[in-house]
Amino acid sequence: MRLSRRQLVALAAGLPLATALPGAAWAQKKIVLGFSQVGAESEWRTANTESIKSAAKDAGIELKFSDAQQKQENQIKAIRAFIAQKVDVIAFSPVVETGWDNVLREAKAAKIPVVLTDRAVNTKDPSLYVTFMGSDFVEEGRKAGRWLVDKMKDQKGEVRIVELQGTVGSAPAIDRKKGFEEIIKADPKFKIVRSQTGDFTRAKGKEVMEAFLKAEGKNGINVLYAHNDDMAIGAIQAIEEAGLKPAKDITIISIDAVKGAFEAMMAGKLNVSIECSPLLGPQLMTAVKDIVAGKPVAKRIVTEEGIFPMETAAAEFPKRKY
Ligand code: GYE
């Protein structure tokens, strides 16, 4: 390559190449992405964090990563810090659905585009974010409901269900409940007798299941519907400690299909897990690059997902990536 006199002078003066060669593609500044993660509450979340970190590295994007420990106030602080640092794009997985308008308006005023990953926000102003990428949680709830309705189609009496909800006010907790109820309400024999949050963690799942078993008695529960695998895995322990057989005395349905769920299915302790993919990193980096390049990006990007009953677990397990 031939350098002009001006460029040679700049180089000799010790200025960075980007200054010496304006417009050269390879000399462009690295894109900076600020990402505010919910926390580290589940196996799903750990896999999601890993996917985002490794995809940023592969894409050559500088990632500023912040863990909110399941607290909205921490996410708001992180987003404000990203605005102050003038990052190119902000992405975050909102712990709850409501209460984001103010901080999103601040990002908009600073002309920093925002991408929602995994969980949605509830806002009247969709111009506050560019795109939302992630699963259809209502559909996941419906899949759980359909599996149960089919499994219990010959059951005559009441089917007594306990529900372990995800984090209160979070999109997956609201939507997974909604989708499940929409399906089971078609037959009045299905009854949700207890429903409480286990905050998507194993420890809380176990604790709340212990309380359910105490309140309903050993024979009072036919089905456990857990909004994620971790809570189901915690609950399995509680069920065993109560002297019952998980997946036999109590039918167990959960969501995510992480490795821990496959292990539980292969051990005969979990009946089915509905898939929810945490591997959002690569598509997030593609969207970030497109946004910075001024290309159009779809407002909603939905993840494709399946369903894994325990009979398929051993064959599927070696193929699982999270
Ligand atoms: O199902 C759960 C995690 O938002 C889809 O959050 C995610 C959920 C996931 O803690 O395990």
Side-chain angles (χ1 to χ4, degrees), residues 79 83 90 102-114:
I79 294 168
I83 296 171
I90 292 172
N102 284 341
V103 73
L104 291 181
R105 267 187 228 118
E106 291 167 30
K108 193 178 174 184
K111 297 197 168 53
I112 301 177
V114 172

Side-chain angles (χ1 to χ4, degrees), residues 35 37 43-58 63 65 278-282 285 321-322:
F35 185 84
Q37 180 59 293
E43 238 184 282
W44 190 100
R45 189 64 55 195
T46 311
N48 180 246
T49 292
E50 168 50 32
S51 171
I52 284 157
K53 286 186 175 170
S54 64
K57 213 171 181 194
D58 293 348
L63 179 68
F65 184 90
L279 307 178
L280 302 174
M285 300 313 148
K321 293 203 176 64
Y322 58 91

Side-chain angles (χ1 to χ4, degrees), residues 188-248:
K189 77 179 176 188
F190 293 106
K191 288 208 171 68
I192 300 183
V193 294
R194 302 223 165 226
S195 180
Q196 211 177 299
T197 181
D199 214 12
F200 282 131
T201 68
R202 285 187 190 203
K204 267 292 190 71
K206 177 167 190 250
E207 195 184 304
V208 177
M209 190 67 202
E210 278 165 2
F212 284 166
L213 286 161
K214 236 191 194 155
E216 294 299 324
K218 276 198 170 186
N219 301 316
I221 302 171
N222 307 115
V223 176
L224 163 65
Y225 169 44
H227 289 187
N228 82 342
D229 293 334
D230 286 74
M231 292 190 294
I233 291 164
I236 286 170
Q237 269 187 40
I239 292 168
E240 288 181 318
E241 282 170 21
L244 294 170
K245 289 210 162 55
K248 294 186 184 74

Side-chain angles (χ1 to χ4, degrees), residues 41-42 44-45 118-119 137 172 176 200 227-228 256 276:
E41 73 283 2
S42 64
W44 190 100
R45 189 64 55 195
D118 158 36
R119 297 183 184 179
F137 299 136
R176 286 171 183 170
F200 282 131
H227 289 187
N228 82 342
D256 279 353
C276 176

Side-chain angles (χ1 to χ4, degrees), residues 1-13 15 19-22:
M1 178 192 337
R2 264 242 162 120
L3 298 183
S4 71
R5 175 180 290 268
R6 189 175 61 80
Q7 287 161 340
L8 283 170
V9 169
L11 279 177
L15 292 174
T19 329
L21 301 167

